[in-house]
Amino acid sequence: MPRFTPAQLQAARDRLVPDVVAPDLRVLFCGINPGLMTAATGHHFARPGNRFWPVLHLSGFTPRLLAPAEQQELLSYGLGITNVVARASARADELTAEEYREGGRLLAAKVARLRPRWLAVVGVTAYRAAFDDRKAQVGPQERTIGDTRVWVLPNPSGLNAHWTAATMAEEFARLRVAADDDGAGAGGAADAGSGAAGGVADEAAAPVRAAEPR
């Protein structure tokens, strides 16, 4: 990965990073918003220490560990990446409540257009803010967007001490099984939510999002 000076990273602030999307994906993963490293490189979840790519592999979504620069390969596995808020920032707490709400509206429209089987929001605090669902927990949600079901995953930031890579991979794998189960309907999603991993500590127990450098 190229090295960037602090000035180069700051120059990436507010930059937009293209989505990795296509119609009819198995899972569309949705981050909070791009961090400065992601904006500088154009690669999602590019900050060193972010566990998204290792956990994606550990959970069986990808047959090998992909580098952020290989993000387009996700499409061949029926996977994609977008964000709740499009603009890049150094920290997630730089985003306003209105940006989250507007991001939720735009995300719902995008999902309705692309029709993924599952929308997976990585970060329960971001999901709560975007969809005004203060009681949401990690796991499958009752909410649907058209025929798309919704799953909330733990924030893969290295600063999220409530989840290890192993416990994150367990939760990601539960989603993978649900996404691969062609016969899973609303009842299947509810059954998936009964696993033990869904009861692991709620991210909102500590203000991880507010403190997280992007």
Side-chain angles (χ1 to χ4, degrees):
M1 179 178 294
R3 294 181 178 273
F4 294 93
T5 66
Q8 287 173 321
L9 289 175
Q10 286 302 317
R13 185 180 292 275
D14 296 329
R15 190 175 296 173
L16 303 181
V17 179
D19 291 341
V20 179
V21 295
D24 304 313
L25 295 169
R26 291 163 58 212
V27 180
L28 177 59
F29 293 96
C30 181
I32 300 171
N33 75 309
L36 297 186
M37 184 66 74
T38 286
T41 62
H43 305 143
H44 293 275
F45 299 102
R47 181 180 174 83
N50 191 294
R51 296 170 288 182
F52 176 80
W53 296 101
V55 167
L56 208 62
H57 174 53
L58 287 171
S59 62
F61 271 113
T62 60
R64 64 181 179 87
L65 174 59
L66 299 180
E70 298 176 293
Q71 60 188 14
Q72 292 296 327
E73 190 170 325
L74 288 177
L75 296 176
S76 67
Y77 306 126
L79 309 174
I81 303 178
T82 187
N83 285 286
V84 174
V85 177
R87 75 173 181 94
S89 66
R91 290 160 47 121
D93 65 350
E94 296 175 23
L95 305 178
T96 67
E98 179 53 35
E99 282 183 290
Y100 276 110
R101 287 191 292 269
E102 177 63 14
R105 289 190 287 270
L106 293 174
L107 177 60
K110 184 181 302 182
V111 168
R113 184 177 77 253
L114 295 174
R115 306 178 309 279
R117 192 176 305 169
W118 286 90
L119 170 68
V121 179
V122 291
V124 68
T125 50
Y127 176 81
R128 289 171 175 171
F131 291 99
D132 195 26
D133 186 350
R134 301 300 174 183
K135 296 183 179 180
Q137 303 292 326
V138 168
Q141 308 299 304
E142 293 184 3
R143 177 190 307 274
T144 59
I145 303 173
D147 292 331
T148 299
R149 287 164 286 171
V150 180
W151 198 295
V152 175
L153 293 169
N155 187 335
S157 166
L159 298 182
N160 182 3
H162 293 286
W163 293 77
T164 66
T167 56
M168 281 188 194
E170 290 176 4
E171 187 65 28
F172 275 60
R174 293 174 61 227
L175 168 59
R176 178 182 56 77
V177 170
D180 289 344
D181 184 0
D182 290 337
D191 292 342
S194 64
V200 178
D202 176 6
E203 288 173 42
V208 173
R209 175 177 60 83
E212 179 184 344
R214 309 285 294 152

